[in-house]
Every structure is written in structure tokens, then in C-alpha cells.
Amino acid sequence: MSKTFDQNVEKAQVLVAGIKKNFAEVEKYGIRMENLAKLEEESAKALAMIKEVEEMREIVSLKLQAANAQLESVKGSYAEIRQAIRLNYPQEQWARFGLMDKR
């Protein structure tokens, strides 16, 4: 979880806890228990959402690694086949095999 995200959620949670302990003092300023409950709920939802995002990032990271490994395989196979064409045919004929290299 990002540090900024974590800090903001933690600030909200600490604020709610502090206000609940001293609710009688701040009630006169228009702060209601409903507001605190809503902030608690929003904080919990934000944490759940960022956890889901982190899980998705891990999945994406693993898939990216697999895709990169597959690309390396493709590049290796391409290089082998390309080299076979280049070594066994004159440059003028390379295009007929789909090889557009000039060198």
C-alpha cells in the first residue's frame, strides 16, 4: 500500500477514535456520531479497495513476467529462423520468406 494512502486512512481512523473518546466536547460543533460512523465505514472501504488493488498488481506483475519470458522465447526462435534464411539464401530472396532485413 502506498505510504500516502496508508497515512490518510490512518489519520481518519485516529481522528475517529479520538473524537469518540471526547465526543461530549465536540458535539456542540455539529459533529455527530453518524459522521464518525460514515468516516469509519469509508476508511474500512478504502482499505479493502486498496488491498484488492495490491492483489491485482501482484497478479499483473506475475503475468507481465510470464509475458516477458514468452517474448524472449519468440525473439530466440525468430533469430534462429532468420539466421537460417540469411545464411542459406541471397539477400534478394529474403523478402519472399517474410524477412525484410537489408543486412
Side-chain angles (χ1 to χ4, degrees):
M1 170 175 345
S2 78
K3 189 174 181 179
T4 303
F5 193 96
D6 192 35
Q7 286 175 340
N8 282 303
V9 170
E10 185 178 350
K11 283 179 188 179
Q13 291 173 336
V14 169
L15 178 70
V16 168
I19 290 178
K20 281 185 174 182
K21 289 178 186 174
N22 302 291
F23 186 71
E25 288 182 50
V26 297
E27 187 176 17
K28 61 187 172 192
Y29 299 115
I31 298 173
R32 303 283 175 252
M33 287 304 273
E34 298 84 35
N35 302 112
L36 298 177
K38 182 179 178 188
L39 183 54
E40 273 185 311
E41 183 182 315
E42 289 173 343
S43 297
K45 185 176 180 180
L47 284 176
M49 291 172 80
I50 198 65
K51 182 180 177 190
E52 183 181 359
V53 168
E54 292 298 327
E55 290 169 359
M56 293 171 125
R57 283 184 180 150
E58 183 62 31
I59 291 168
V60 168
S61 177
L62 293 172
K63 288 191 178 271
L64 179 59
Q65 290 173 9
N68 285 334
Q70 186 64 41
L71 179 60
E72 287 302 314
S73 177
V74 167
K75 288 165 64 176
S77 296
Y78 172 82
E80 286 179 29
I81 295 170
R82 177 179 161 258
Q83 191 65 17
I85 299 297
R86 290 180 67 176
L87 293 175
N88 293 296
Y89 291 92
Q91 183 178 357
E92 303 81 44
Q93 294 183 17
W94 294 354
R96 107 186 155 147
F97 296 102
L99 189 60
M100 300 302 169
D101 292 358
K102 294 189 179 181
R103 295 178 125 210

